[in-house]
Amino acid sequence: MIDDRHSRFTDAHADKSRAEHVPQTPQSASPAYRLAFADDEFLIRDELRPVRLQLELLKAELMLNENGIDSTIVMFGGARIPSPADKDNARTQTLADLSHFYEEARSFAHVMTEQSKAKGGRDNVIVTGGGPGVMEAGNRGAADAGGHSVGLSIVLPHEQAPNGYVTPELSFNFHYFAIRKMHFLMRAAAICVFPGGFGTLDEMFESLTLIQTGRMQRVPFILFGRAFWEKIINWEALADAGTISDQDLDLFRFVETAEEAAEIINNWSPAPARDTLPGRER
């Protein structure tokens, strides 16, 4: 991380190094003597949660800035969707049938990364959750195109390393789901959602809610696989019930291919955030 401080005071890194080399005495060996910012046991206390939240927000933000990432194309999707080459090992036939979306995700990321590189590589950089399945396909497509991509991993109960296609210096790991979601959306120029499970649904609906309520600017919001999404979610029933408005169904588009998604993004006219909530006028 770059240190651009303009200060006459000794920097924290130097003091941390000095503190590690003081003579060992009962006093210097005590946990109380450790510098607070270099004390792992202190930082993971429950009372330090607000500080950890801030640190998770700041670390990725600073490093994305330092790597020149101005905007991103977000790719959400299932970790269990196999590549076509591995579909025979899929747990269910449905997962095997969805394997073609791995290739669509890979192709889409490849196309968007080529376009990004042609304009300097700062905008429309692919970002995924850093895991397997659709996430791997997204990072893999960016790597195929010779570009960089971001992986926003999360600590899970089972051991899981980031997929091998994430750009190493853009591979982040999070404790807080909320901060991870913020980093998905803070730079989002488009949101693309592939078939997936609870995690994908959570990410999709939170993103849609931010746009629906005017808390986020409208961006291209693309759902890959109409048949999948219309099978698991009765969108029209929500509108008919009045729990969402008919206009809310215009916040997203269905596509089947990478080419369709790229066309929507490339022909998108910037749209401001909503200043009213249709169906909630009273």
Side-chain angles (χ1 to χ4, degrees):
M1 195 172 290
I2 298 171
D3 185 359
D4 290 326
R5 299 177 317 112
H6 298 284
S7 172
R8 298 183 185 277
F9 294 115
T10 303
D11 68 89
H13 186 273
D15 270 2
K16 179 176 181 292
S17 178
R18 291 189 186 104
E20 290 170 350
H21 295 92
V22 299
Q24 286 295 294
T25 69
Q27 292 76 23
S28 65
S30 168
Y33 187 78
R34 297 175 194 151
L35 289 166
F37 60 81
D39 186 345
D40 290 344
E41 291 302 314
F42 175 68
L43 289 175
I44 62 175
R45 289 176 55 155
D46 284 347
E47 298 90 340
L48 270 290
R49 181 174 291 118
V51 175
R52 293 195 300 274
L53 285 161
Q54 185 177 22
L55 289 173
E56 284 214 337
L57 183 65
L58 274 173
K59 180 179 178 180
E61 176 69 7
L62 292 173
M63 296 187 77
L64 287 167
N65 286 340
E66 288 164 7
N67 280 277
I69 309 300
D70 291 336
S71 66
T72 57
I73 302 293
V74 179
M75 294 179 66
F76 295 135
R80 305 184 190 197
I81 293 178
S83 68
D86 294 328
K87 70 177 182 178
D88 291 341
N89 298 318
R91 190 168 60 87
T92 67
Q93 184 58 48
T94 298
L95 282 173
D97 294 341
L98 291 171
S99 65
H100 70 280
F101 283 115
Y102 181 102
E103 282 305 318
E104 290 300 334
R106 182 178 176 183
S107 176
F108 171 74
H110 187 282
V111 169
M112 299 312 300
T113 300
E114 283 189 327
Q115 293 182 6
S116 174
K117 285 178 60 185
K119 297 179 180 179
R122 298 177 66 95
D123 288 299
N124 290 2
V125 176
I126 295 296
V127 57
T128 80
V134 167
M135 295 174 279
E136 175 188 283
N139 298 118
R140 185 176 181 180
D144 291 342
H148 48 227
S149 66
V150 182
L152 305 180
S153 298
I154 186 82
V155 177
L156 297 173
H158 55 282
E159 294 182 15
Q160 177 178 297
N163 71 69
Y165 300 100
V166 179
T167 302
E169 58 268 29
L170 298 174
S171 182
F172 302 98
N173 199 19
F174 291 87
H175 173 67
Y176 297 106
F177 267 102
I179 301 299
R180 178 175 178 252
K181 287 178 182 175
M182 286 188 68
H183 280 297
F184 270 124
L185 299 179
M186 285 166 65
R187 287 173 168 77
I191 299 169
C192 299
V193 190
F194 292 77
F198 285 171
T200 302
L201 290 167
D202 174 54
E203 292 158 345
M204 178 183 73
F205 278 120
E206 179 140 11
S207 304
L208 269 178
T209 300
L210 288 169
I211 294 173
Q212 178 205 39
T213 57
R215 299 294 296 174
M216 179 178 172
Q217 284 185 309
R218 286 198 64 177
V219 297
F221 204 110
I222 299 166
L223 306 187
F224 277 77
R226 178 188 286 267
F228 174 84
W229 292 111
E230 290 188 340
K231 181 178 181 180
I232 67 167
I233 302 169
N234 193 332
W235 305 94
E236 296 295 339
L238 291 171
D240 290 343
T243 55
I244 66 172
S245 71
D246 290 334
Q247 294 98 312
D248 291 334
L249 298 178
D250 292 329
L251 296 177
F252 55 88
R253 294 286 183 271
F254 295 109
V255 302
E256 303 300 325
T257 67
E259 291 76 16
E260 291 176 85
E263 182 177 0
I264 290 172
I265 293 170
N266 291 334
N267 292 300
W268 176 260
S269 296
R274 282 179 165 181
D275 56 8
T276 61
L277 189 58
R280 293 270 298 276
E281 287 80 8
R282 291 183 298 171

